[in-house]
Amino acid sequence: MKFKVALCVLSLVETCFSANVLAIFTFPGLSHYRMFQPLLKELAKRGHNVDVYSHFPMKEPINGLTDISLKGTSPIVTNNMTIGTLRDTPGSAFTIIMAGPCGAEICQNSFKSDQFINLKKTTKRYDVVITELFGSDCMLGWAWYFGVPSIVMTSSANLPWASERFGLPDNPSYVPNYFMQYLSNMSLYERIVNTWTLIQAKLLYHIFSTWPSNVMAKEFFGEKLPDLDVLAQNTSLQLVNTHFSINNARALVPNVIEVAGLHMQESHQVNEYFNKVLTTDKKGVIYFTMGSVLVIESLPKEKLQALLSTFAELPYKILLKGSKERFPKDVKIPENVHLEPWMPQQDILCDSRVKLFVSHGGMMGTQEAIYCGIPVLGIPIFADQSLNIKYAEAMGYAIMVDYEDISKERLLEAARKLLENPQYAANAKQISEDYKDRPLSPMETAVYWVEYVIRHKGAPRLSSAAKYLKWYQYYLLDVFATTMGIPLLILFMTVKFLWFCKRSTEENIKKTL
């Protein structure tokens, strides 16, 4: 009996382990961090020691998680971006913003901070580094510095510059680009544009992020630091915020794991205050937000007035994320519009009184609408938002209104369709069921693979050999050149030989005559 008890104890010791996790998230955007923080908290809850460097430390500490605040090292983008900034850089050219101000510049600010200077001096040993795959790879230098595996997280659909490091197929004939609003079935013109956009985005990222970040990282970590391209190629795992039920299905390699909805918890009833806010004598509630980055009050007056005039015509209470004080004084806010600077979004969307979500199409909000099974009126502004809304529109639970087409007439038409045609609500409920139908929850999936990488010291067997190929090898251009070149060379030599024989014969005949 004692022997059996000992075996049970040993088995528990073997399956339960505590790792030292270094999590570094330098991008100062709360919408991104909302996906990352729940995983870090769960790892701490499961007995791991997690040190987190971010701009958003928790208000209340939890056991096993140590927050090191990066506040003040870079400007916060939450509720701090105007419509002009976001709309003036369309398409893949937005890569320049992502790679520059949101990438290389943040690296430069971070490496100058006391927090990272002190981290470099630490004697603590780590087992894994978790960071974000977004505007720069400079934080992968910490994995090299501590000699541990690296895991990256992406809060959106996958980025164009993510593919090579994992050997992830990104064939533009059927994989829509992050910056485009195409679906998998593209016309010839769309495939041409999609291909060029993919190439352009990759080149811009390397020019505006990888090259300057390389210089900064080597200055900070030392010249022995491998190039960031090499460190990126050695990444052990990516957790990406997609799922085939709501995004176009595409081929994935084993170390790219879909965990869409990682940021979502079980919905709860809204608190007493918001319960009163949602209570109405109208047909229900419409919830409207442009996310945590865009300042909605920065929209041009005519766009704002079109939105508000539309809401005035609808027999619903409008719950709008915004500040009355920041609205232009000459813009009239209808009586049925209630403003709040912050709201518990998921709990509100899952409330039965809410009938429609008017959104910019951010990934987090779109997934929350899907989880709650509610139709969406999408007004995309920048980056992947058009693609997100296009997916939703194709699945039959959303209608997209382009920013340039905003008018009272267009918005009313879309809103009435979504509210009065029951098929949109039915489709939203069905997509919600499909989205939730998984063998493991997003959190269980993420935790399993993080711990897998730690247990297996980087889990190199997960990696596809494709990532080690040169681009011309990956696309078999060398095979094509060889298989086509040799026959052509033989044909050329044969023709030359026959021509030489003919020429020699003619000369001999002339000499004979």
Side-chain angles (χ1 to χ4, degrees):
M1 180 61 71
K2 290 181 179 179
F3 178 71
K4 290 181 179 178
V5 171
L7 282 178
C8 289
V9 173
L10 285 173
S11 66
L12 289 173
V13 171
E14 185 177 346
T15 55
C16 299
F17 67 98
S18 177
N20 290 332
V21 178
L22 175 60
I24 300 179
F25 295 97
T26 56
F27 179 67
L30 181 59
S31 60
H32 289 220
Y33 194 63
R34 284 182 59 213
M35 175 192 171
F36 310 142
Q37 190 182 61
L39 174 61
L40 306 178
K41 290 166 67 175
E42 185 65 22
L43 290 172
K45 180 181 174 182
R46 298 193 183 207
H48 301 291
N49 301 307
V50 185
D51 291 346
V52 183
Y53 288 74
S54 80
H55 296 266
F56 308 101
M58 291 187 299
K59 294 179 180 178
E60 296 182 5
I62 63 172
N63 291 334
L65 192 150
T66 303
D67 269 316
I68 299 91
S69 177
L70 297 176
K71 281 185 176 180
T73 59
S74 292
I76 299 294
V77 300
T78 304
N79 292 326
N80 199 29
M81 298 289 279
T82 65
I83 187 68
T85 303
L86 298 173
R87 289 293 295 180
D88 289 345
T89 315
S92 61
F94 199 76
T95 304
I96 298 173
I97 292 179
M98 294 170 69
C102 297
E105 288 182 22
I106 290 176
C107 284
Q108 187 175 37
N109 296 337
S110 300
F111 287 145
K112 290 178 180 178
S113 69
D114 292 337
Q115 294 91 322
F116 283 139
I117 292 170
N118 292 333
L119 177 60
K120 197 176 175 185
K121 298 174 183 176
T122 186
T123 57
K124 187 172 182 177
R125 296 295 92 190
Y126 292 98
D127 298 293
V128 70
V129 169
I130 303 177
T131 188
E132 182 177 9
L133 197 170
F134 185 59
S136 174
D137 294 313
C138 60
M139 293 302 140
L140 293 175
W142 290 111
W144 171 84
Y145 185 78
F146 289 111
V148 297
S150 59
I151 295 173
V152 294
M153 301 179 71
T154 303
S155 63
S156 64
N158 229 331
L159 298 158
W161 44 90
S163 302
E164 287 92 342
R165 68 190 67 195
F166 299 108
L168 181 68
D170 63 347
N171 190 328
S173 67
Y174 76 98
V175 178
N177 190 275
Y178 175 91
F179 296 103
M180 304 305 296
Q181 53 179 281
Y182 301 147
L183 301 177
S184 285
N185 298 321
M186 291 177 262
S187 66
L188 174 61
Y189 171 78
E190 289 172 340
R191 281 183 281 124
I192 291 171
V193 175
N194 196 52
T195 302
W196 167 241
T197 304
L198 177 67
I199 295 169
Q200 186 184 32
K202 290 182 178 184
L203 288 174
L204 290 173
Y205 178 77
H206 283 290
I207 293 170
F208 289 94
S209 178
T210 302
W211 294 347
S213 294
N214 247 331
V215 175
M216 298 172 202
K218 286 181 183 292
E219 286 178 357
F220 184 79
F221 290 107
E223 286 300 321
K224 291 184 179 179
L225 178 78
D227 286 346
L228 294 180
D229 282 340
V230 175
L231 297 180
Q233 192 180 67
N234 289 334
T235 305
S236 295
L237 182 75
Q238 181 191 26
L239 301 173
V240 61
N241 195 21
T242 57
H243 190 257
F244 61 83
S245 64
I246 58 171
N247 302 95
N248 285 336
R250 61 180 294 184
L252 298 175
V253 291
N255 58 343
V256 174
I257 307 297
E258 293 189 311
V259 290
L262 183 63
H263 70 290
M264 289 188 287
Q265 308 296 322
E266 286 295 324
S267 297
H268 304 93
Q269 286 188 339
V270 293
N271 61 32
E272 184 178 349
Y273 174 78
F274 280 102
N275 183 51
K276 289 180 181 178
V277 170
L278 290 171
T279 300
T280 178
D281 57 355
K282 298 183 180 295
K283 287 186 175 182
V285 176
I286 295 173
Y287 175 57
F288 176 42
T289 177
M290 282 292 184
S292 62
V293 174
L294 174 64
V295 178
I296 190 171
E297 298 88 348
S298 71
L299 266 65
K301 180 183 174 182
E302 65 274 12
K303 302 289 186 185
L304 271 179
Q305 196 61 68
L307 284 162
L308 295 171
S309 298
T310 299
F311 295 147
E313 294 270 335
L314 295 170
Y316 292 82
K317 187 173 188 177
I318 314 299
L319 191 52
L320 190 156
K321 178 183 174 293
S323 173
K324 188 174 183 179
E325 291 72 25
R326 298 175 72 173
F327 268 80
K329 301 302 181 185
D330 54 347
V331 172
K332 184 178 179 181
I333 299 174
E335 291 183 2
N336 65 330
V337 173
H338 179 95
L339 287 95
E340 291 284 347
W342 175 89
M343 286 176 274
Q345 182 163 288
Q346 184 183 335
D347 293 341
I348 287 174
L349 287 173
C350 285
D351 192 287
S352 60
R353 290 167 288 189
V354 177
K355 307 301 180 184
L356 179 65
F357 182 31
V358 182
S359 165
H360 63 310
M363 183 66 86
M364 303 299 181
T366 302
Q367 289 175 355
E368 288 167 3
I370 291 169
Y371 182 87
C372 299
I374 186 168
V376 176
L377 196 168
I379 308 172
I381 303 297
F382 68 101
D384 64 331
Q385 294 166 6
S386 293
L387 184 59
N388 297 337
I389 295 298
K390 274 293 182 181
Y391 285 150
E393 197 172 43
M395 287 185 283
Y397 72 92
I399 294 176
M400 185 172 92
V401 175
D402 190 88
Y403 174 80
E404 305 301 334
D405 295 334
I406 288 178
S407 66
K408 178 181 175 182
E409 294 74 20
R410 180 73 184 91
L411 290 168
L412 269 177
E413 179 189 12
R416 284 172 174 160
K417 276 186 181 180
L418 290 161
L419 290 163
E420 296 170 8
N421 186 340
Q423 191 59 51
Y424 287 101
N427 290 342
K429 298 295 183 188
Q430 183 59 55
I431 296 299
S432 179
E433 291 180 15
D434 296 344
Y435 177 70
K436 295 175 183 176
D437 189 359
R438 312 188 200 184
L440 292 172
S441 70
M443 183 62 73
E444 290 289 342
T445 302
V447 169
Y448 172 82
W449 285 109
V450 169
E451 292 184 339
Y452 184 94
V453 166
I454 297 171
R455 286 196 303 270
H456 295 276
K457 311 299 181 185
R461 292 183 185 85
L462 289 177
S463 297
S464 168
K467 70 181 185 179
Y468 300 111
L469 297 175
K470 302 293 185 183
W471 65 270
Y472 57 85
Q473 295 173 321
Y474 182 83
Y475 292 107
L476 292 175
L477 296 182
D478 53 342
V479 173
F480 178 79
T482 302
T483 55
M484 294 301 294
I486 291 176
L488 287 173
L489 180 61
I490 293 173
L491 178 61
F492 173 77
M493 293 178 67
T494 302
V495 170
K496 288 290 288 182
F497 177 73
L498 292 174
W499 179 84
F500 177 76
C501 291
K502 179 176 177 294
R503 186 75 179 270
S504 299
T505 303
E506 289 175 349
E507 288 179 357
N508 289 334
I509 291 172
K510 286 180 181 179
K511 287 178 181 179
T512 304
L513 295 174

